[in-house]
Amino acid sequence: MTEKPKKPRRPRVDSTTGIAAAIVAGGKQITLPEGTKFDAFERKVFTELCDEFSKTELTPHKVRLLVSLARQIVMLSREQEALTREGFVLTNSHGNAVPNPRVKACAGLTSSILAMRRSLGIHTRAQEGGSNQKAAVRRAHNKANEAERGNYDDNLIAFPKPLEEVDDDG
């Protein structure tokens, strides 16, 4: 009795199928979840987070998690700015020194951000079960193949087309 794999294996990045998938993904636009609104800072952070991945790795679920992570990073940044202005110790109405509640909020956001980064596998070690080299090589191959898209003529009959091209204006 042979067991079938539960999930189809991802093609090797240096195989013909892997290269074709990366070229197709190179033309894919990242679509935000419906109803997502970003201010300029959140959009910048989201773009930086997306650049951590090759487009072949970005699934709709990962994009949704990256939206959440971008918002958490922006919240942490704003809380840290306020903490810098206010200081770590405040004075209450009785004149007693009390710790600023933003300290605890910043610690909680930092912990949450690090956990989300591990969950998404942004840290290379998390992606390949401890092997930085494998993940780095795979990511480099995918990014190089995605960049090759510009070297092909879109008018060729055999040019691979992305499956979805949807505008990402949220």
Side-chain angles (χ1 to χ4, degrees), residues 131-146:
S131 172
N132 292 338
Q133 187 177 10
K134 285 183 188 175
V137 166
R138 189 184 73 243
R139 185 164 289 133
H141 274 290
N142 280 335
K143 286 192 174 224
N145 290 333
E146 289 171 7

Side-chain angles (χ1 to χ4, degrees), residues 42-101:
E42 288 172 333
R43 182 168 291 280
K44 180 179 182 243
V45 171
F46 176 75
T47 302
E48 290 171 355
L49 288 169
C50 287
D51 289 343
E52 293 281 332
F53 294 94
S54 62
K55 288 184 181 178
T56 55
E57 295 175 289
L58 288 176
T59 63
H61 181 67
K62 275 190 180 178
V63 170
R64 186 173 297 279
L65 292 175
L66 288 173
V67 166
S68 176
L69 181 58
R71 288 195 170 131
Q72 288 179 352
I73 290 172
V74 169
M75 276 192 285
L76 176 62
S77 175
R78 290 178 178 152
E79 287 294 320
Q80 286 174 330
E81 288 171 9
L83 186 60
T84 301
R85 281 192 314 273
E86 297 169 1
F88 283 82
V89 178
L90 301 175
T91 306
N92 67 10
S93 61
H94 301 295
N96 298 330
V98 294
N100 191 333

Side-chain angles (χ1 to χ4, degrees), residues 6 14 19 40 45 60 91-92 102 110 118-119 151 154 161:
K6 295 178 182 164
D14 57 351
I19 292 170
V45 171
T91 306
N92 67 10
R102 291 187 194 279
T110 300
R118 281 190 301 271
S119 174
N151 296 334
D154 285 348
K161 297 285 183 200

Side-chain angles (χ1 to χ4, degrees), residues 98-119:
V98 294
N100 191 333
R102 291 187 194 279
V103 173
K104 193 169 185 177
C106 287
L109 282 168
T110 300
S111 175
S112 178
I113 288 167
L114 291 174
M116 180 76 77
R117 285 179 59 87
R118 281 190 301 271
S119 174

